[in-house]
Amino acid sequence: MREFSIDSIGCSISVGRVPISPWKEAMRMDLDVTRIEKAVQVIDPVFLDTPQYLDEQLCKALGGRAVTVKLETANPVRSFKGRGADLMLSTLAPGTPVVCASSGNFGQAVAYAGRSRGMPVEVFVPETVNPGKRERVETFGARVIAAGVDGTSARKAAAAHAERHPDRVYLQDGLQAAIAEDAGTIGVELTRGTSGSVGDPDFDAVVLPVGDGALINGVACWMKEHAPGIRIVGVNAEGAPSMRNSLRAGRAVSIERAHTFADGIAVRTPLDASVRRARVLVDEIVLVTDEAIAAAMELVARTLGILLEPAGAAGLAAISEGAVPGDRLATVLTGANPRPEQVQALAARLARPARNTPAA
């Protein structure tokens, strides 16, 4: 097994609004803003410059707050995962076999990038994987292996398989610095806004769903360097608070079981590397209920006309519930690959009269 990683230091960090020299945290940080900037030139353009805008109807429903949404669903894998997977595979020799574990979206992204680069891909998934996500992984040409009841079991099986086959490169979502850095290109686009040049955007906070942590750590690394006054707020499902608990404990801690329908953020055990980065970069993790997520999915469908999966709506759920203060917020809609039963439940909600305005 070859486990791919990139090690270097260079990300400025801050606590609150006071910048701190990156060298003071050198031994704990391995993310690099210069690599994030360079990644923009390498990642397949199909994943870059996704739409970001204010929707008047959505903002009105959110109590008049100015909430910028970024649609990371507008790409071939319908999630933000394509950025990291594409750049990771671009660093490998053509034809290199690749192994990963995924609840669905990361597997799609690796399969898509592998097919375009002539690399055989094997994706280990939990037995409970969203059948639609599995079908899309297979459509992109990957071999899918079901292993265990959850993502932790699939990850262990993938690692063992790669260990038995040393010609494979094992990619672990959230572990390799490059995957987080590539997700950090979303931060580049948020700071650039509509002006075309990087600046300090007019946000009080950026609110992001947190599963493996690659997205929030990459975006936060860029933001702390280029817009240090903006708070970085992560969102866990109430039934899967593993990253929140880990940050409070100061180390990676497990939960016995993830009780949430948001499988994209249903992480039982965060990676040590991801927790170390988040301790430096993330200001706060808040929790949202599954009902709040379902209500946010409904709100997005009514106002933006977009069908999200639960994890993709978690950031907006936190804003809608009033868990994040501020009148000028941004969130990323991270995925649009819902399960069939989730689509049915959303259709039933949409058949009812709209809810009242969410909490301000």
Side-chain angles (χ1 to χ4, degrees):
M1 173 182 69
R2 288 180 289 161
E3 189 167 319
F4 187 89
S5 65
I6 296 177
D7 295 315
S8 72
I9 302 160
C11 179
S12 291
I13 63 167
S14 67
V15 177
R17 296 177 181 271
V18 182
I20 296 176
S21 166
W23 309 113
K24 292 184 180 179
E25 294 290 344
M27 297 305 295
R28 290 165 55 185
M29 283 303 302
D30 59 349
L31 305 184
D32 189 339
V33 291
T34 61
R35 287 201 301 265
I36 293 174
E37 192 165 20
K38 291 177 181 177
V40 176
Q41 308 302 319
V42 180
I43 296 172
D44 186 336
V46 76
F47 296 115
L48 297 174
D49 295 312
T50 50
Q52 59 188 56
Y53 56 91
L54 290 165
D55 179 86
E56 292 184 15
Q57 188 179 11
L58 175 65
C59 291
K60 180 180 179 181
L62 294 172
R65 284 169 290 174
V67 177
T68 295
V69 291
K70 186 164 183 60
L71 309 187
E72 283 296 302
T73 60
N75 61 61
V77 300
R78 303 201 296 231
S79 83
F80 75 95
K81 301 284 188 178
R83 296 177 186 245
D86 184 70
L87 188 58
M88 282 291 300
L89 267 62
S90 75
T91 66
L92 304 178
T96 300
V98 176
V99 177
C100 71
S102 173
S103 63
N105 285 345
F106 184 63
Q108 284 188 65
V110 174
Y112 182 91
R115 184 180 65 178
S116 68
R117 298 180 183 280
M119 298 175 177
V121 174
E122 295 170 303
V123 181
F124 284 73
V125 299
E127 294 164 356
T128 55
V129 66
N130 178 340
K133 291 183 180 180
R134 175 171 184 158
E135 182 179 2
R136 288 177 63 81
V137 172
E138 292 173 332
T139 297
F140 294 141
R143 176 183 174 225
V144 177
I145 305 100
V149 298
D150 58 17
T152 299
S153 301
R155 192 165 65 200
K156 290 179 179 178
H161 178 74
E163 189 70 34
R164 293 191 299 269
H165 299 86
D167 62 316
R168 268 79 161 172
V169 170
Y170 176 40
L171 302 183
Q172 192 167 341
D173 195 9
L175 175 62
Q176 284 89 2
I179 295 177
E181 289 165 348
D182 304 339
T185 58
I186 293 171
V188 176
E189 294 168 19
L190 285 171
T191 55
R192 189 174 61 214
T194 59
S195 66
S197 60
V198 171
D200 194 345
D202 197 21
F203 303 139
D204 297 316
V206 173
V207 188
L208 301 166
V210 178
D212 58 70
L215 172 64
I216 196 165
N217 286 330
V219 171
C221 180
W222 181 267
M223 287 289 186
K224 294 302 182 184
E225 175 75 11
H226 293 279
I230 296 176
R231 287 177 53 79
I232 305 299
V233 179
V235 183
N236 275 171
E238 188 176 75
S242 58
M243 184 62 84
R244 196 279 303 264
N245 293 354
S246 295
L247 294 188
R248 288 186 171 184
R251 57 181 175 81
V253 297
S254 300
I255 57 174
E256 183 175 348
R257 184 178 176 185
H259 296 278
T260 178
F261 75 149
D263 54 14
I265 55 174
V267 175
R268 282 203 300 121
T269 306
L271 297 171
D272 289 333
S274 189
V275 173
R276 286 196 301 270
R277 295 167 189 149
R279 288 186 66 199
V280 175
L281 295 167
V282 177
D283 293 294
E284 182 183 10
I285 302 282
V286 300
L287 303 181
V288 292
T289 65
D290 279 6
E291 171 56 29
I293 294 173
M297 292 169 65
E298 177 185 353
L299 180 61
V300 168
R302 290 186 185 277
T303 59
L304 306 182
I306 298 171
L307 182 62
L308 294 178
E309 63 187 86
L316 191 65
I319 294 171
S320 180
E321 290 294 296
V324 183
D327 294 326
R328 305 159 302 170
L329 306 172
T331 190
V332 178
L333 308 182
T334 56
N337 293 293
R339 290 176 175 270
E341 63 270 23
Q342 293 166 352
V343 175
Q344 293 170 359
L346 177 58
R349 295 180 74 103
L350 292 171
R352 303 195 297 263
R355 291 178 52 185
N356 294 331
T357 301

